[in-house]
């Protein structure tokens, strides 16, 4: 399924200036996504990531996102919404899945939690559309992201905007924009299991 094409088709039928809630995992991923949608929608960004298990890391990513949004010039002003920060939510959903590999069942449940919260908040704020930056990374499963979004679309009074933001060089642009805006680029998704695996890969490479 070409979810980027589905997104473009949806956007052709959406009035300019419609509201959208964008779940964001970090500033670099957000940068590559905004180039595709920021001149179409009035965007609110939700930073909801209970998977980031170290508070220092969480606050660093949130501050960097706010800085980037304040500097990035777009058609409509963008607001950043601070989501609830409670790592216990992530630890609860990942019980028994601690040794799952990247892109495994633990990641699916993590995507689901973050996208569900986005849909819930979009509905509560009367925002007509919602989507997520998660599909930008080549390390994330875009099929899962869109399947979850499509299912939640039916559960909440809001509409999921299909996405595969890595398409049309979205991921490449996120790297370029990160350099341009001097953004902090982390080398793991945020959870302690991803950090553990990232450190192991570095150790293996150095041995």
């Amino acid at each position: 399924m070409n979810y980027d094409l589905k997104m473009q088709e949806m956007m052709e039928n959406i009035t300019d200036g419609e509201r959208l809630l964008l779940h964001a995992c970090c500033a670099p991923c957000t940068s590559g996504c905004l180039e595709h949608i920021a001149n179409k929608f009035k965007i609110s960004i939700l930073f909801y990531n209970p998977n980031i298990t170290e508070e220092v890391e969480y606050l660093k990513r949130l501050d960097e996102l706010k800085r980037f949004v304040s500097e990035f010039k777009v058609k409509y002003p963008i607001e950043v919404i601070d989501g609830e920060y409670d790592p216990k939510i992530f630890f609860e959903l990942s019980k028994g899945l601690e040794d799952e590999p990247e892109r495994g069942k633990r990641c699916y449940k993590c995507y689901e939690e973050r996208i569900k919260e986005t849909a819930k908040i979009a509905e509560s704020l009367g925002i007509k559309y919602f989507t997520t930056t998660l599909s930008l990374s080549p390390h994330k499963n875009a099929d899962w992201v869109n399947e979850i979004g499509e299912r939640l679309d039916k559960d909440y009074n809001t509409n999921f905007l299909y996405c595969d933001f890595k398409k049309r060089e979205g991921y490449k642009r996120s790297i370029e924009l990160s350099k341009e805006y001097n953004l902090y680029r982390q080398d793991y998704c945020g959870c302690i299991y991803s950090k553990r695996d990232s450190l192991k890969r570095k150790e293996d490479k150095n041995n």
Side-chain angles (χ1 to χ4, degrees):
M1 179 70 71
N2 188 331
Y3 290 111
D4 177 64
L5 183 59
K6 291 194 73 169
M7 180 183 75
Q8 293 179 62
E9 291 171 349
M10 280 186 72
M11 288 173 63
E12 287 176 2
N13 297 305
I14 296 172
T15 304
D16 283 11
E18 189 63 74
R19 295 182 71 197
L20 177 140
L21 184 62
L22 173 67
H23 164 261
C25 56
C26 62
C29 286
T30 301
S31 70
C33 299
L34 287 182
E35 285 209 326
H36 289 304
I37 60 174
N39 289 323
K40 179 71 174 182
F41 295 98
K42 290 180 181 176
I43 296 173
S44 296
I45 293 177
L46 173 65
F47 190 77
Y48 175 69
N49 300 289
N51 58 303
I52 303 176
T53 46
E54 296 177 353
E55 187 174 14
V56 171
E57 179 72 16
Y58 180 91
L59 294 174
K60 186 173 184 177
R61 296 190 194 191
L62 176 58
D63 289 344
E64 196 72 340
L65 174 66
K66 290 179 176 178
R67 178 178 71 81
F68 170 71
V69 168
S70 71
E71 296 174 5
F72 190 62
K73 304 303 180 188
V74 290
K75 185 175 180 180
Y76 302 106
I78 297 174
E79 68 167 338
V80 177
I81 299 171
D82 294 2
E84 178 187 8
Y85 178 53
D86 185 357
K88 292 194 297 291
I89 294 170
F90 172 76
F91 285 122
E92 185 63 31
L93 69 84
S94 62
K95 277 183 180 176
L97 302 172
E98 293 87 352
D99 294 324
E100 280 284 307
E102 190 85 8
R103 294 167 63 96
K105 294 178 182 178
R106 184 184 66 243
C107 291
Y108 182 92
K109 294 187 75 172
C110 185
Y111 299 171
E112 186 176 47
E113 169 61 29
R114 291 186 278 174
I115 298 170
K116 182 178 180 179
E117 183 70 6
T118 306
K120 188 187 301 184
I121 290 177
E123 181 185 63
S124 71
L125 295 176
I127 297 177
K128 193 170 182 179
Y129 295 92
F130 73 103
T131 194
T132 176
T133 63
L134 290 174
S135 69
L136 181 124
S137 170
H139 302 295
K140 301 291 189 291
N141 187 320
D143 288 339
W144 284 357
V145 168
N146 285 278
E147 288 165 12
I148 292 166
E150 187 174 51
R151 171 163 48 82
L152 292 170
D153 183 296
K154 298 177 177 65
D155 295 338
Y156 294 90
N157 186 27
T158 183
N159 304 282
F160 181 70
L161 181 71
Y162 290 102
C163 60
D164 192 350
F165 287 113
K166 73 177 68 64
K167 300 290 187 180
R168 290 181 283 154
E169 299 193 330
Y171 181 67
K172 179 183 176 182
R173 279 296 292 152
S174 75
I175 295 173
E176 293 170 349
L177 288 166
S178 294
K179 291 178 180 176
E180 182 180 342
Y181 286 87
N182 193 30
L183 298 178
Y184 163 61
R185 287 183 65 86
Q186 63 283 347
D187 58 2
Y188 68 106
C189 80
C191 77
I192 60 171
Y193 312 118
S194 174
K195 184 175 184 179
R196 172 198 64 197
D197 295 343
S198 176
L199 290 172
K200 188 176 186 306
R201 285 193 295 270
K202 289 179 181 176
E203 288 174 1
D204 293 344
K205 187 177 180 181
N206 292 329
N207 291 335

